Amino acid sequence: MSLLTRNLDMFDPLDAEVAQKTTPEEQLETVAGHIRACELCGLYRTRRNAVPGEGSAGAKLMIVGEGPGDNEDIQGRPFVGKAGGLLDKILAAAEFPRESVFITNIVKCRACELVDGKLQNRAPLAPETNACRPYLVRQVEIIQPRVILCLGSPAAKGVIDGGFNITGQRGEWHEGPFGSRLIATFHPAFILRRGGAGSGARELKKLVWDDMKKIRDYLASAG
Ligand code: URA
């Protein structure tokens, strides 16, 4: 089971609009329009741009991160900062071109707080993740990916199970919605924070690589 279930009647107007569109691209754009206008939690107050997600509407692999950071908030695109650079390298090594996957986050607006007069990123709060989850559910329903890869603990907790332990449970398959499989691995930003030689970053990269190979092999065998 996963947390990606349909349960909010207040999304009926969005669902009705999506139902009128004929292609998955148009349907995703309809969801994106609602996300850009969303005021369901307080994150809209500080956003410059919402970040609905981007990629192929027919993606077999969907990638779900924690939430937009400063660069993503400026550009309105997911994973365009340093962590995005490492994600691009990981995807390229596993032979998943970025444009072949769909990349999004559990919250679509930057979560931040004022520290010493500056806005700094923070992890999204449970009410923010809960408010935003119905958008992710609809993106999954439209794309129907075979695999949903959660990057990092907040994404895995928001998608797979609130008690998910990223160190102990990464690389394990879980049942997802619409016939998909869920899996989690470490977030690229977590690897980058470890730094250079002797920091453990190398070992983390190896584990992420194991997880990416597992996904690649599954997708190759599932056709
Ligand atoms: N980190 C995330 O989790 N998501 C992004 O979009 C960028 C960085």
Side-chain angles (χ1 to χ4, degrees), residues 65-69 72 77-80 83 105 187:
E66 173 177 333
E72 291 76 20
R77 297 181 54 216
F79 282 95
V80 289
N105 286 295
H187 195 293

Side-chain angles (χ1 to χ4, degrees), residues 3-30:
L3 299 173
L4 298 181
T5 52
R6 282 175 151 270
N7 54 7
L8 280 189
D9 293 347
M10 64 193 287
F11 279 73
D12 286 354
L14 166 56
D15 291 332
E17 230 181 283
V18 167
Q20 284 174 0
K21 309 288 179 195
T22 44
T23 68
E25 287 80 6
E26 288 171 331
Q27 292 176 335
L28 282 177
E29 194 40 48
T30 302

Side-chain angles (χ1 to χ4, degrees), residues 55-129:
S56 167
K60 289 185 177 170
L61 174 61
M62 184 175 206
I63 296 173
V64 183
E66 173 177 333
D70 190 35
N71 290 300
E72 291 76 20
D73 179 61
I74 291 171
Q75 295 189 39
R77 297 181 54 216
F79 282 95
V80 289
K82 275 190 189 160
L86 180 53
L87 176 62
D88 287 348
K89 281 189 193 160
I90 293 168
L91 288 175
E95 294 171 26
F96 293 119
R98 185 171 162 124
E99 58 285 1
S100 73
V101 304
F102 190 87
I103 306 179
T104 189
N105 286 295
I106 46 163
V107 294
K108 316 298 192 195
C109 298
R110 182 187 182 201
C112 55
E113 61 196 352
L114 212 50
V115 179
D116 297 332
K118 276 191 181 169
L119 282 180
Q120 288 197 358
N121 295 341
R122 62 163 171 80
L125 305 172
E128 294 160 349
T129 305

